[in-house]
Amino acid sequence: MDWGRIAKRIRVPLGFLFAAFFLVLARPRWWSLAAGSAVALTGVWIRAISSGHVNKNEELATSGPYAYTRNPLYFGSIVIAAGFALAALRWEIAVALLVLFAAIYVPVIRGEEQFLSQRFAHYSEYCSRVPRLLPRLCAGGQGRSRYSSELYWKHREYNALLGTLAVIAALAMRIWRAR
């Protein structure tokens, strides 16, 4: 089994372990929690909009957020992580998040790209127009799909919102208890 497959399997459990590490190290203040929460909730919004535009493994998503980046869900996760790092006020957390992203998500993205290139004949042409991760300012994708709340619920994307709210609440409790 290659690292990409292992990374795909361990990313969620590793996320829970990292959350524990995060909550132990975090030293938030009310201002950093407010700023970090705004950033993290922006990432949740990016993920929510993206999940309503993708019909996984059925068709290649090239519209909506997928017209700006091939991986808007992962980009949203990065924004959430950046918000948490800001809220925590610890450089060690930011470094750990960068290492985790490089070790886990880079191989996962590459594996998904291989799958998509085999599944969809026009995937390489889409890749030539739309960047892998960091969004471009103008749309490079095609098509005009509409947001589907059914897809949002099908993909259980509400879990990102619930998890983010739980971390925000845990950080707020930490600040409140430290008073």
Side-chain angles (χ1 to χ4, degrees), residues 19 45 52 56 58 65 71 82 115-116 131 137 154 171 178:
W45 177 81
K56 295 178 181 177
E58 299 298 321
N71 293 285
F115 170 79
L116 293 171
L137 295 178
K154 176 184 172 186
L171 291 175

Side-chain angles (χ1 to χ4, degrees), residues 34-179:
S37 295
V39 173
L41 290 170
T42 299
V44 169
W45 177 81
I46 292 167
R47 286 191 57 90
I49 295 300
S50 301
S51 71
H53 280 276
V54 62
N55 198 1
K56 295 178 181 177
N57 302 329
E58 299 298 321
E59 59 186 283
L60 181 63
T62 61
S63 62
Y66 292 87
Y68 299 89
T69 173
R70 297 193 311 259
N71 293 285
L73 288 165
Y74 295 139
F75 178 71
S77 293
I78 290 170
V79 174
I80 293 168
F84 288 161
L86 174 59
L89 290 178
R90 293 295 296 263
W91 66 268
E92 299 91 341
I93 289 173
V95 170
L97 285 168
L98 288 171
V99 169
L100 269 177
F101 182 79
I104 300 296
Y105 285 102
V106 169
V108 168
I109 288 170
R110 287 189 179 138
E112 289 177 0
E113 287 176 342
Q114 288 176 344
F115 170 79
L116 293 171
S117 67
Q118 293 169 356
R119 180 136 177 127
F120 301 105
H122 58 287
Y123 182 70
S124 63
E125 193 266 323
Y126 168 66
C127 289
S128 70
R129 292 189 328 269
V130 179
R132 176 179 282 146
L133 190 61
L134 297 178
R136 63 189 308 162
L137 295 178
C138 58
Q142 298 175 332
R144 292 196 177 266
S145 73
R146 297 181 63 148
Y147 174 81
S148 166
S149 61
E150 290 175 18
L151 289 173
Y152 171 86
W153 292 103
K154 176 184 172 186
H155 300 313
R156 298 181 305 204
E157 194 55 41
Y158 52 84
N159 286 322
L161 174 61
L162 295 175
T164 299
L165 293 175
V167 170
I168 291 169
L171 291 175
M173 189 64 112
R174 183 171 187 129
I175 297 168
W176 184 74
R177 291 181 74 202
R179 297 173 78 197

